[in-house]
């Protein structure tokens, strides 16, 4: 078996918010044998391309951070693309990794796999105990299928394919698309542009009352590397063959109104905030119970206010109107 630092690690989605942070985290730990392909170089919805990739590269471990991802509006507008692309990407990468003999893989799901009105904080056991949030059900179904695919390959073929369920994420390298992004990058851009144009108000979608938990992406990447570094016996002591996923979060949530206020202050916008209740709120709350990951020795580091300041500084460096 190759020693830890010589393992060839494929990071699928390495240019994305999470994938780029995972590459940073691996490099920080002196992992230099990192294999990547851009979307243009490798279309992960195409099984033959994925099969050819794994046949040509001797991959030891996979971080599956490639997916069709977006905020509430994107999920609600492109449900067919979200379920199709995510089912295809994850099925191809998981199946072809197994076919090529890859022993270890980390699948990234999402907190949206849980029922819309799950008891809070949400425990891993609450999976499939109730109706999902309609605005992202197709994406959630794909993610649940990804967890179950990893579990099924582990049970039948003896693979060590693990699953982590991130809460809402933000940080450097996020998607700032005005409509399709998540709330933090969307509001950073909107407040920034309002400041530049001396607008007198910024409109926030929904009522501002939903609660969300926000984890800084470098903390998420650190959790991914931590989970992948656990001995199999340790990982399996905190999971079961048919309940194998682990929640990743901060254990604290805020209202959308509160996070909008934090962003307004960080950006330095002096105008007013208004709420457009004609836009969907989505799940009222999705705070993760992270007791399993805590007992596995991991805790987040970045506080929300500090994380938004860091993110805004990176945004300003990249921003083009
Ligand atoms: N961001 C968040 O708040 C959360 C994210 N997650 C999960 O974390 C993972 C990473 O998400 P995130 O980093 O935010 O997403 P991003 O959209 O930032 O990154 C996704 C990456 O995957 C690539 N990709 C997408 N589709 C394909 C494809 N068909 N073939 C090849 N490459 C593809 C994208 O390339 P390109 O852009 O060039 O198409 C991009 O580099 C996902 O599994 C997501 O579901 C879970 C919870 C919250
Ligand atoms: C990570 C998670 O992300 C999505 O679920 P979500 O948490 O609802 O995502 P969101 O960040 O888009 O919205 C959070 C809240 O914020 C409010 N909101 C206000 N103003 C804006 C705004 O301008 N943009 C956006 N996007 N939201 C806004 C919005 O109305 C909602 O109440 C799914 O991808 C889901 O599948 C998933 O995995």
């Amino acid at each position: 078996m190759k020693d830890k630092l010589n393992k060839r690690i494929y990071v699928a989605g390495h240019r994305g918010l999470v994938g780029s942070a995972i590459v940073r985290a691996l490099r920080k730990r002196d992992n230099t044998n990192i294999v990547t392909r851009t979307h243009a170089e490798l279309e992960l919805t195409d099984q033959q391309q994925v099969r050819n990739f794994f046949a040509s590269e001797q991959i030891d471990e996979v971080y599956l951070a490639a997916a069709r991802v977006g905020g509430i509006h994107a999920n609600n507008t492109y449900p067919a693309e979200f379920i199709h692309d995510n089912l295809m990407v994850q099925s191809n990468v998981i199946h072809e990794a197994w076919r090529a003999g890859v022993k270890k893989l980390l699948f990234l799901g999402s907190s949206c796999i849980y029922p819309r009105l799950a008891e809070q904080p949400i425990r891993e056991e609450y999976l499939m105990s109730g109706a999902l949030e309609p605005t992202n059900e197709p994406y959630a179904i794909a993610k649940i299928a990804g967890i179950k695919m990893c579990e099924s390959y582990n049970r039948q073929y003896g693979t060590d394919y693990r699953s982590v369920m991130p809460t809402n994420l933000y940080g450097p390298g996020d998607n700032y698309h005005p409509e399709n992004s998540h709330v933090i990058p969307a509001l950073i851009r909107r407040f920034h542009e309002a400041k530049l144009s001396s607008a007198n108000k910024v409109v926030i979608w929904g009522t501002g009352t939903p609660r969300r938990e926000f984890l800084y992406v470098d903390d998420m990447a650190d959790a991914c590397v931590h989970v992948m570094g656990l001995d199999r016996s340790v990982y399996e002591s905190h999971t079961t063959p048919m309940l194998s996923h682990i929640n990743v979060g901060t254990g604290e949530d805020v209202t959308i109104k509160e996070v909008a206020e934090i962003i307004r202050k960080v950006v330095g916008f002096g105008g007013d905030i208004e709420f457009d209740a004609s836009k969907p709120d989505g799940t009222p709350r999705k705070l993760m119970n992270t007791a399993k990951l805590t007992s596995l020795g991991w805790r987040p580091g970045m506080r929300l206010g500090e994380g938004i300041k860091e993110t805004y500084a990176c945004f300003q460096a990249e921003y083009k109107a």
Side-chain angles (χ1 to χ4, degrees):
M1 189 62 174
K2 287 177 188 165
D3 73 56
K4 212 169 164 57
L5 295 184
N6 283 328
K7 279 182 190 163
R8 284 174 63 77
I9 300 174
Y10 170 42
V11 180
H14 75 287
R15 285 182 158 177
L17 172 70
V18 180
S20 56
I22 288 173
V23 170
R24 288 197 294 273
L26 290 170
R27 287 201 175 126
K28 210 166 69 177
R29 290 164 177 78
D30 301 326
N31 284 88
T32 51
N33 222 337
I34 302 169
V35 178
T36 59
R37 289 291 185 282
T38 65
H39 193 162
E41 290 166 338
L42 178 55
E43 175 49 66
L44 293 172
T45 59
D46 180 328
Q47 184 171 17
Q48 193 56 55
Q49 285 192 39
V50 178
R51 179 166 299 185
N52 295 344
F53 166 75
F54 278 105
S56 65
E57 299 285 341
Q58 302 304 315
I59 301 295
D60 297 303
E61 293 183 1
V62 176
Y63 286 83
L64 179 39
R68 178 66 186 267
V69 180
I72 189 166
H73 174 77
N75 269 273
N76 220 10
T77 308
Y78 310 108
E81 292 172 48
F82 271 76
I83 194 163
H84 170 270
D85 291 2
N86 286 307
L87 284 175
M88 297 299 284
V89 166
Q90 64 197 38
S91 298
N92 288 339
V93 174
I94 294 166
H95 182 75
E96 296 307 328
W98 162 73
R99 205 170 172 282
V102 173
K103 294 284 178 288
K104 211 171 186 183
L105 174 144
L106 186 72
F107 172 68
L108 274 83
S110 166
S111 58
C112 71
I113 62 167
Y114 294 110
R116 170 182 160 79
L117 300 175
E119 188 186 326
Q120 308 283 324
I122 305 171
R123 302 171 63 88
E124 287 88 351
E125 294 81 344
Y126 299 168
L127 179 62
M128 295 196 282
S129 62
L132 296 168
E133 158 61 33
T135 55
N136 54 50
E137 185 191 71
Y139 171 79
I141 293 283
K143 290 300 183 180
I144 294 169
I147 298 169
K148 292 303 164 185
M149 191 160 171
C150 289
E151 289 176 355
S152 302
Y153 279 56
N154 295 344
R155 289 168 59 205
Q156 185 169 345
Y157 302 131
T159 49
D160 182 6
Y161 292 180
R162 306 177 182 185
S163 299
V164 286
M165 296 302 119
T167 188
N168 289 51
L169 304 172
Y170 73 100
D174 209 338
N175 163 14
Y176 287 91
H177 188 280
E179 279 84 44
N180 296 335
S181 53
H182 288 103
V183 61
I184 286 184
L187 294 189
I188 283 176
R189 176 172 177 162
R190 198 167 303 147
F191 278 113
H192 181 77
E193 292 180 340
K195 183 174 80 171
L196 295 184
S197 65
S198 307
N200 55 20
K201 69 175 180 184
V202 160
V203 177
I204 315 287
W205 297 352
T207 62
T209 59
R211 299 186 71 88
R212 289 294 184 271
E213 177 185 24
F214 296 107
L215 177 65
Y216 191 66
V217 72
D218 286 287
D219 277 341
M220 180 64 212
D222 191 54
C224 290
V225 177
H226 180 84
V227 168
M228 278 290 259
L230 295 171
D231 285 350
R232 184 169 190 164
S233 58
V234 173
Y235 184 84
E236 292 179 349
S237 66
H238 287 69
T239 58
T240 67
M242 296 180 77
L243 193 78
S244 68
H245 62 286
I246 293 185
N247 290 342
V248 186
T250 64
E252 295 171 13
D253 62 359
V254 291
T255 65
I256 295 306
K257 185 173 190 301
E258 286 165 336
V259 75
E261 191 48 51
I262 294 170
I263 296 170
R264 190 184 68 78
K265 281 204 183 83
V266 166
V267 171
F269 174 67
D272 297 329
I273 289 177
E274 261 186 31
F275 292 91
D276 174 1
S278 72
K279 295 279 191 342
D281 273 338
T283 306
R285 190 180 191 198
K286 42 182 174 177
L287 175 65
M288 309 286 259
N289 180 309
T290 52
K292 280 193 182 182
L293 187 54
T294 307
S295 62
L296 284 165
W298 185 84
R299 286 184 185 288
M302 182 69 83
R303 306 286 304 165
L304 182 57
E306 203 45 48
I308 290 175
K309 277 187 198 143
E310 294 282 324
T311 306
Y312 184 50
C314 295
F315 170 80
Q316 285 177 292
E318 299 161 16
Y319 179 69
K320 299 176 197 66

